[in-house]
Amino acid sequence: MVEQALFQDQLVADPMTSTPFRIGRVVKESYDTFTLELVPQGRYQTFPFAPGQFNMLYVFGVGEIPISISGDPQHPSLLVHTTRAVGTVTKAMRALKVGDAIGVRGPFGSAWPVKEARGYDVVFVAGGIGLAPLRPALYQVLAQRDRYGKIVLLYGTRSPEDILFRSELEKWRSRFDLEIYVTVDYANSKWHGNVGVVTRLIPKAPFDPLNTIAMVCGPEVMMRFTALELQKRGVPSDHIYISMERNMKCATGFCGHCQFGPTFICKNGPVYPYNQLQSWLALWEV
Amino acid sequence: MKAFDEILKETKFFHGLAPEYIQLLAGCASNVRFDPGEYVFREGESANAFYLIRHGQVALELHDPRRGQLIIDTLNEDEVLGWSWLFPPYKWVYSARAVILTRAIAMDGKCLRDKCDSDPVLGYDLMKRFAVVMIDRLQATRLQVLNVYG
Amino acid sequence: MTTAPLSFILESAHLQQLFDALARHGYHIIGPTLGDQAIIYDEITSVDDLPVGWVDEQSGGTYRLHQTKTPIYFGCTTAVQSWKRWLHPPTEVLWRARRTDSQFEILADEQPTPRYAFIGVRPCELQAIRIQDRVFLEGEFVEARYRARREAAFIIAVNCGRAGNTCFCASMGSGPEAREGFDLALTEVLEGDRHYFVVKTGSAAGQALLAEIPHQPAGDAEIEAAAHIIADTSAHMGRELNVDGLRDLLYRNYEHPRWEAVAQRCLSCGNCTLVCPTCFCVTIEDATNLNGDEAQRVRKWDSCFTMDFSYIHGGSVRYSAKSRYRQWMTHKLATWVDQFGTFGCVGCGRCITWCPVGIDITEEARLIRAADNQTVVNKKANHDESV
């Protein structure tokens, strides 16, 4: 916590200035998704963060974008980000190699309620790349497995080729204290898992709805329908947490881009209790 | 072995149905079992039943000449498979393949239709139950085709 | 802390000495002056740069200047742009970086902080500065560049002797009299041949500066004259905005036919956001030099009226003009209250004057109130019930 405080102090000096980190490893997760392991440099010995927080990552001369941290909070000596190459910056990022530098500002934003969930069943619902921001929370919950009830991961993605962190999921699947269900939108007959949208997994997943904290991450539509399905099952709306995405430029509340109704996603989010945003999520073009 | 009325009563689909109707419908039930890879039914065949899956997994498939065999949905324990038996022309629209060893209760469609026709109260109750399943499935399918993880 | 402000008299003939004193202390004086047939706030050095005798006429989509025989210095109301242009400039280099092989180093962009003396800050504009202070200085993070400029600035407010046709500061509680947030506050009085300023000090720095120039304690009649001018201005506001329950009014009218109606007129040009003294949104642009070994990050004013503003992978969240106007107005008058504990509007009227089609925020609010969606009393409560 001392490190964190020190870091925050430095942020105050200028929260807009990046620090170059070195790329230690690049992992290709799927045809369009990759993971970067960054080695803290400069004034950083380590990079402490809370699960759910994000960084602003800068590619020299190209631009800066918010990306959630996907690594293990217990190992702050590495800073891990997983992203899809879909825009100018992420495509430039994918072209970077081991040893190249990337600018880092952060960590910013609110965290998954990992501590608050102690004593509860924990249900993670991930859609697509949404598995990446949830992974730090999964690591933390699994590291203190005996503090929680049942732990369930429901993961939906487009096709078997899109499945992220494949070997890790296999490893987790072999644990007896963690239930993992994966479903895809479409597959050929080589696929032996579920086909159907991730909300289909909720009615029968093994958790006690009245004693559950749900952490949901994926595109907004997926999160809305997931929250509805969880509520149908009986999970109270203030026990459901979601992570919001908007076009952030500064991550400090100065640029105005990430406003969602009365909140700034960079400051008040990205993780929110669902009931706090529920009425806004039903509105269009907020 | 449990009697069919006991089994039906415990399914999510028939949950809360009046006991006399459970009794009545048990007369249309039979046990079925499918080995991995075995087809429960194939596209175009006569649709004479629906299935309450007791355990296992069934993949709904269709064939695309370019992409081959495509799975469009999977159904698991305590889910309902098939509603083409409800309406003419009583033909299966997709194929259903057991992914793993699957046991199910087959409910005879002709038998059910006759019972519903002669007792509209039962018919209405059963229709509502199917409507819920169909709506849930339809809503999920809408999300599935929306590419919501995009 | 200062003692309760007393009133003093500064004869108009001595106004130049105020300029001279500011210059002696190394301030860049920024004040109203003529530019492009309008009043702008720009660098000035003497009273002769002030728009003596000029009076502005503003209304929806209209701005005109007239010259009068009256030797008034501050006869115009608000300038085109607010002081935001100086405290939160339209473009600003955040930092530069230099590449060496696969690495790069960040080069801090250490520009000396300009020391501005703002002369002619209107009460509504003071309020706007305080609102931007909340955005940049009073949250979790502090905007260091803004803070440096803000702390270095010397503020001379001028109370309004006339309300423009688009003014509604009285509704927003921000004017026409400056109450706090200034070093000196002037009220310009012209009585027959006599031309003087009633001066109030608002800080120790203000008192110290006043001590350097000729002044004398104000008499009751002079104080009365200044008070009368302000009261008269207050009584002649060009517009009015009923702020009673305004935040909740907008929240419960998020769906309202008026948004579509205003979208039919709105050009999405973003003029309102540029002239607004509280609008703070920015974007950041990246650039490199021609051989690609130096890069810079430049912060620029942005506007929620552009499609790019809400772009996330896949498209813009606010793709209709309706949603963008709604975002802007709802931000000013509703969500701002939740975010910063104050309205984001001070009633300066610039957005009305500089809207090419004359869209009037006070009129829009009035029309929404006139057809209030009362059926949804509380959106949140309503939702909770339906779950």
Side-chain angles (χ1 to χ4, degrees):
Chain A
M1 275 347 279
V2 173
E3 279 168 333
Q4 185 107 26
L6 185 70
F7 176 66
Q8 289 293 343
D9 209 40
Q10 286 164 330
L11 265 185
V12 171
D14 186 13
M16 293 308 294
T17 303
S18 304
T19 301
F21 280 27
R22 195 176 55 80
I23 298 175
R25 199 159 85 101
V26 182
V27 182
K28 188 173 192 282
E29 304 285 357
S30 75
Y31 58 93
D32 65 351
T33 303
F34 58 99
T35 294
L36 297 177
E37 291 183 5
L38 306 178
V39 183
Q41 308 260 93
R43 64 179 191 235
Y44 297 90
Q45 298 290 311
T46 60
F47 197 90
F49 69 96
Q53 288 194 300
F54 68 95
N55 282 317
M56 297 299 289
L57 296 189
Y58 168 75
V59 178
F60 182 85
V62 180
E64 190 188 54
I65 47 159
I67 302 183
S68 286
I69 305 170
S70 64
D72 188 344
Q74 275 103 212
H75 296 104
S77 54
L78 267 189
L79 176 58
V80 182
H81 289 277
T82 303
T83 191
R84 278 171 70 198
V86 289
T88 317
V89 181
T90 46
K91 282 177 182 159
M93 213 171 263
R94 185 171 57 178
L96 295 177
K97 295 181 291 294
V98 170
D100 288 350
I102 245 178
V104 176
R105 291 194 291 132
F108 296 110
S110 60
W112 295 112
V114 172
K115 271 194 191 125
E116 295 84 337
R118 284 176 185 168
Y120 288 92
D121 289 352
V122 185
V123 178
F124 297 94
V125 190
I129 188 77
L131 183 58
L134 280 172
R135 192 168 68 161
L138 255 158
Y139 284 134
Q140 216 165 54
V141 166
L142 290 175
Q144 304 185 319
R145 182 63 191 87
D146 55 347
R147 288 178 180 270
Y148 299 90
K150 296 193 181 78
I151 298 177
V152 182
L153 168 62
L154 309 178
Y155 173 36
T157 191
R158 271 181 297 194
S159 73
E161 291 72 46
D162 289 281
I163 294 173
L164 300 178
F165 312 138
R166 202 174 266 273
S167 59
E168 204 161 26
L169 288 176
E170 288 304 326
K171 201 174 72 194
W172 282 339
R173 191 170 251 163
S174 66
R175 288 176 69 137
F176 293 106
D177 57 357
L178 167 65
E179 298 271 353
I180 297 186
Y181 300 88
V182 180
T183 186
V184 298
D185 279 348
Y186 51 87
N188 62 26
S189 55
K190 291 194 194 83
W191 171 245
H192 288 276
N194 290 296
V195 174
V197 75
V198 71
T199 53
R200 287 281 303 278
L201 300 175
I202 293 168
K204 289 189 302 168
F207 61 87
D208 170 11
L210 293 176
N211 190 45
T212 287
I213 297 284
M215 307 185 201
V216 184
C217 191
E220 215 168 294
V221 174
M222 170 263 169
M223 294 195 293
R224 265 166 47 205
F225 283 91
T226 298
L228 282 179
E229 205 60 42
L230 287 166
Q231 287 178 294
K232 255 198 230 171
R233 181 83 195 265
V235 181
S237 64
D238 59 342
H239 282 193
I240 302 170
Y241 289 79
I242 61 173
S243 179
M244 293 291 290
E245 180 198 3
R246 281 293 185 271
N247 171 17
M248 297 164 195
K249 298 288 181 191
C250 74
T252 55
F254 301 152
C255 81
H257 282 247
C258 71
Q259 287 177 74
F260 184 71
T263 80
F264 286 88
I265 288 169
C266 69
K267 296 194 296 188
N268 311 108
V271 176
Y272 294 87
Y274 173 66
N275 64 330
Q276 201 179 316
L277 297 187
Q278 195 170 1
S279 59
W280 288 97
L281 284 165
L283 300 171
W284 293 12
E285 295 189 75
V286 176
Chain B
M1 212 176 115
K2 275 188 186 172
F4 282 123
D5 57 341
E6 285 297 306
I7 298 168
L8 295 186
K9 197 170 73 181
E10 285 163 15
T11 62
K12 193 179 161 201
F13 184 73
F14 284 121
H15 178 78
L17 184 65
E20 59 271 28
Y21 284 138
I22 294 273
Q23 281 292 341
L24 190 65
L25 294 180
C28 302
S30 61
N31 276 310
V32 288
R33 177 206 133 108
F34 302 95
D35 287 324
E38 192 180 344
Y39 277 82
V40 181
F41 51 75
R42 283 181 186 271
E43 179 181 341
E45 288 176 353
S46 294
N48 294 321
F50 80 89
Y51 300 86
L52 292 161
I53 299 172
R54 298 191 64 193
H55 52 83
Q57 183 179 62
V58 176
L60 275 185
E61 295 178 344
L62 61 77
H63 186 264
D64 176 334
R66 288 179 304 124
R67 291 183 292 177
Q69 198 174 330
L70 294 178
I71 305 175
I72 51 173
D73 204 355
T74 49
L75 298 166
N76 296 293
E77 192 177 308
D78 207 23
E79 288 190 299
V80 173
L81 167 66
W83 43 66
S84 296
W85 62 277
L86 266 168
F87 309 102
Y90 310 121
K91 302 277 190 205
W92 293 118
V93 177
Y94 305 114
S95 299
R97 174 176 57 87
V99 179
I100 51 177
L101 175 68
T102 299
R103 291 177 202 277
I105 305 285
M107 300 294 293
D108 185 301
K110 175 78 172 64
C111 169
L112 285 171
R113 290 198 301 264
D114 289 347
K115 287 193 162 57
C116 290
D117 287 343
S118 59
D119 184 347
V121 175
L122 170 64
Y124 178 58
D125 190 301
L126 208 57
M127 272 310 148
K128 280 198 290 187
R129 286 166 194 274
F130 265 101
V132 170
V133 174
M134 288 167 163
I135 288 166
D136 281 352
R137 211 72 66 78
L138 173 63
Q139 287 174 343
T141 305
R142 283 176 179 150
L143 293 182
Q144 198 177 334
V145 300
L146 259 182
N147 190 15
V148 281
Y149 310 124
Chain C
M1 280 310 296
T2 59
T3 50
L6 295 169
S7 293
F8 303 94
I9 296 299
L10 169 67
E11 295 296 338
S12 68
H14 295 144
L15 186 61
Q16 181 60 43
Q17 297 198 34
L18 179 62
F19 278 64
D20 297 341
L22 290 168
R24 256 197 322 277
H25 287 281
Y27 285 109
H28 297 277
I29 303 169
I30 314 290
T33 191
L34 279 173
D36 294 334
Q37 300 176 57
I39 299 300
I40 57 172
Y41 296 141
D42 209 345
E43 296 215 44
I44 56 176
T45 52
S46 87
V47 293
D48 297 334
D49 295 328
L50 293 170
V52 185
W54 289 92
V55 172
D56 59 350
E57 181 192 321
Q58 304 190 30
S59 67
T62 302
Y63 182 97
R64 292 287 181 276
L65 285 181
H66 305 289
Q67 196 160 24
T68 66
K69 301 278 184 213
T70 316
I72 190 167
Y73 286 113
F74 298 98
C76 291
T77 59
T78 52
V80 181
Q81 293 267 3
S82 71
W83 308 92
K84 171 174 92 171
R85 181 172 149 38
W86 301 96
L87 289 172
H88 176 45
T91 68
E92 181 163 35
V93 176
L94 289 177
W95 43 265
R96 296 170 206 279
R98 188 186 299 124
R99 172 144 63 189
T100 47
D101 301 324
S102 62
Q103 305 301 304
F104 62 85
E105 57 173 334
I106 310 271
L107 314 169
D109 190 62
E110 284 180 12
Q111 305 283 339
T113 299
R115 294 180 69 230
Y116 295 129
F118 297 147
I119 183 161
V121 180
R122 297 299 180 175
C124 61
E125 297 173 328
L126 276 182
Q127 172 76 355
I129 292 170
R130 284 199 298 276
I131 288 173
Q132 287 214 326
D133 286 353
R134 292 200 186 188
V135 176
F136 293 126
L137 306 179
E138 294 169 25
E140 182 185 350
F141 298 98
V142 170
E143 216 303 301
R145 298 163 190 81
Y146 178 89
R147 179 171 65 182
R149 287 187 288 265
R150 181 73 177 88
E151 284 174 351
F154 189 92
I155 293 182
I156 302 172
V158 173
N159 292 322
C160 293
R162 185 174 66 86
N165 174 263
T166 55
C167 289
F168 56 103
C169 64
S171 297
M172 305 313 293
S174 65
E177 181 180 20
R179 294 200 183 84
E180 54 175 334
F182 53 82
D183 294 295
L184 294 174
L186 315 181
T187 307
E188 187 172 17
V189 184
L190 283 126
E191 289 174 330
D193 289 343
R194 192 158 175 231
H195 186 185
Y196 61 93
F197 296 92
V198 175
V199 185
K200 284 186 177 177
T201 57
S203 71
Q207 284 174 349
L209 194 86
L210 188 63
E212 294 182 28
I213 57 176
H215 68 283
Q216 69 217 43
D220 287 347
E222 291 155 329
I223 291 170
E224 181 60 32
H228 178 77
I229 287 169
I230 292 162
D232 190 57
T233 304
S234 194
H236 291 91
M237 284 287 131
R239 315 264 158 153
E240 190 185 350
L241 177 59
N242 180 0
V243 299
D244 183 33
L246 186 54
R247 182 192 69 158
D248 293 339
L249 175 81
L250 290 175
Y251 277 159
R252 68 175 173 263
N253 288 286
Y254 211 74
E255 296 299 337
H256 191 285
R258 198 59 218 163
W259 300 120
E260 195 50 61
V262 75
Q264 296 292 322
R265 300 167 62 207
C266 177
L267 307 174
S268 286
C269 69
N271 265 14
C272 50
T273 58
L274 299 177
V275 295
C276 177
T278 68
C279 271
F280 59 85
C281 291
V282 289
T283 188
I284 299 171
E285 290 181 2
D286 293 88
T288 54
N289 62 358
L290 281 176
N291 55 4
D293 58 7
E294 276 205 12
Q296 61 175 15
R297 308 212 76 213
V298 184
R299 181 163 64 198
K300 296 185 171 177
W301 284 358
D302 202 358
S303 171
C304 54
F305 281 89
T306 70
M307 288 284 269
D308 249 12
F309 189 85
S310 65
Y311 183 86
I312 53 177
H313 166 59
S316 290
V317 173
R318 298 182 204 107
Y319 47 83
S320 69
K322 164 187 146 177
S323 72
R324 297 196 292 275
Y325 186 83
R326 179 177 66 184
Q327 162 63 24
W328 178 73
M329 182 166 152
T330 307
H331 189 209
K332 290 289 151 198
L333 302 176
T335 51
W336 206 299
V337 177
D338 285 320
Q339 293 168 353
F340 301 108
T342 165
F343 287 119
C345 173
V346 297
C348 73
R350 284 185 175 88
C351 58
I352 308 171
T353 299
W354 296 102
C355 176
V357 296
I359 293 170
D360 178 348
I361 190 171
T362 67
E363 185 190 11
E364 296 308 316
R366 185 169 57 250
L367 290 169
I368 286 171
R369 196 184 285 276
D372 184 4
N373 183 9
Q374 291 283 11
T375 50
V376 186
V377 174
N378 184 324
K379 192 160 269 154
K380 189 173 179 302
N382 196 43
H383 254 275
D384 287 348
E385 277 163 22
S386 68
V387 168

